[in-house]
Amino acid sequence: DAGITQSPRYKITETGRQVTLMCHQTWSHSYMFWYRQDLGHGLRLIYYSAAADITDKGEVPDGYVVSRSKTENFPLTLESATRSQTSVYFCASRRGGPLDEQFFGPGTRLTVL
Amino acid sequence: QQQVKQSPQSLIVQKGGIPIINCAYENTAFDYFPWYQQFPGKGPALLIAIRPDVSEKKEGRFTISFNKSAKQFSLHIMDSQPGDSATYFCAARAGGNMLTFGGGTRLMVKP
């Protein structure tokens, strides 16, 4: 299907385990973003990427790792999950210009026990 | 540190009412102010956006009012409907790539 997809949609893991959240977009958008959504905090940017092999930190990058070997994929890895990383994670993409619309995926609800 | 402060956190109105959601910012470098609408279980979707060179923008029943001197902007929903019940986020961007979001407002429109 065209658009932006995330997998899995729901994930339960334990403290200390490695978890990877996947994001795939079919538009060939240059920019991709990872946000986490927590009650009262809105959406906070974790990492973003301007193109393949170009990534940069956002507001809350600690504990997360990203990579972007292909334009269409932007996985987010929690190397050693902590309970504070329990959240809903959204991937987003944008074509190019700063005024271009940013499209969000459906989200992944992650619970760290 | 939240650079965009949004209020109220929740809002209940009757059908036909005009809910107003307010946002305030400090960073004068912000030059793009979008509003996003999010339904339960879905990702946010762009609703309407404004640049600081205009004071008001309307799209259908949704209006953004912008006060550059006060560093405030607000969303008004005219003739609100139960289908408008959602969470609304204001955001701002300072010419770069990062959108800074407000904390969100959960709106309920009662039939």
Side-chain angles (χ1 to χ4, degrees):
Chain A
D1 290 343
I4 184 166
T5 57
Q6 293 182 237
S7 62
R9 293 294 314 278
Y10 303 90
K11 177 73 176 179
I12 299 174
T13 191
E14 295 178 338
T15 301
R17 290 190 179 264
Q18 184 179 76
V19 177
T20 296
L21 309 184
M22 304 301 294
C23 179
H24 175 80
Q25 52 103 356
T26 61
W27 295 306
S28 298
H29 283 174
S30 297
Y31 289 88
M32 296 187 75
F33 307 83
W34 274 107
Y35 293 87
R36 59 178 290 172
Q37 183 176 21
D38 304 288
L39 192 64
H41 290 278
L43 293 125
R44 292 181 290 175
L45 183 65
I46 304 170
Y47 270 96
Y48 69 98
S49 168
D53 298 321
I54 301 175
T55 62
D56 207 347
K57 295 179 179 179
E59 181 184 355
V60 289
D62 294 344
Y64 303 94
V65 175
V66 293
S67 63
R68 194 165 176 209
S69 58
K70 293 183 178 181
T71 299
E72 61 267 28
N73 296 324
F74 191 37
L76 176 74
T77 298
L78 289 67
E79 292 192 304
S80 179
T82 64
R83 289 181 181 170
S84 66
Q85 293 177 310
T86 292
S87 186
V88 181
Y89 291 85
F90 287 98
C91 178
S93 72
R94 194 183 83 212
R95 185 174 60 190
L99 300 185
D100 286 343
E101 182 174 347
Q102 189 163 303
F103 295 89
F104 284 82
T108 294
R109 183 175 294 275
L110 176 67
T111 301
V112 183
L113 302 176
Chain B
Q1 181 182 3
Q2 198 170 50
Q3 294 189 51
V4 180
K5 294 185 178 180
Q6 184 172 344
S7 63
Q9 284 190 319
S10 62
L11 188 56
I12 302 174
V13 299
Q14 293 293 134
K15 177 183 175 182
I18 305 176
I20 300 172
I21 304 170
N22 299 297
C23 286
Y25 63 96
E26 290 296 325
N27 187 352
T28 55
F30 286 146
D31 61 0
Y32 174 67
F33 301 88
W35 284 87
Y36 283 81
Q37 180 187 55
Q38 183 182 29
F39 293 106
K42 304 292 186 182
L46 180 66
L47 185 63
I48 185 173
I50 196 168
R51 296 290 303 274
D53 51 347
V54 297
S55 61
E56 186 176 276
K57 183 174 182 180
K58 292 183 180 181
E59 285 188 7
R61 295 183 294 106
F62 300 92
T63 299
I64 301 177
S65 297
F66 189 86
N67 186 329
K68 188 174 182 178
S69 61
K71 292 184 285 187
Q72 295 176 347
F73 58 110
S74 59
L75 177 70
H76 302 233
I77 306 175
M78 311 301 287
D79 188 26
S80 59
Q81 302 296 313
D84 296 329
S85 297
T87 299
Y88 292 82
F89 294 96
C90 62
R93 180 155 58 211
N97 297 311
M98 293 176 54
L99 275 173
T100 299
F101 284 84
T105 297
R106 183 173 291 183
L107 171 66
M108 179 185 295
V109 181
K110 290 189 171 183

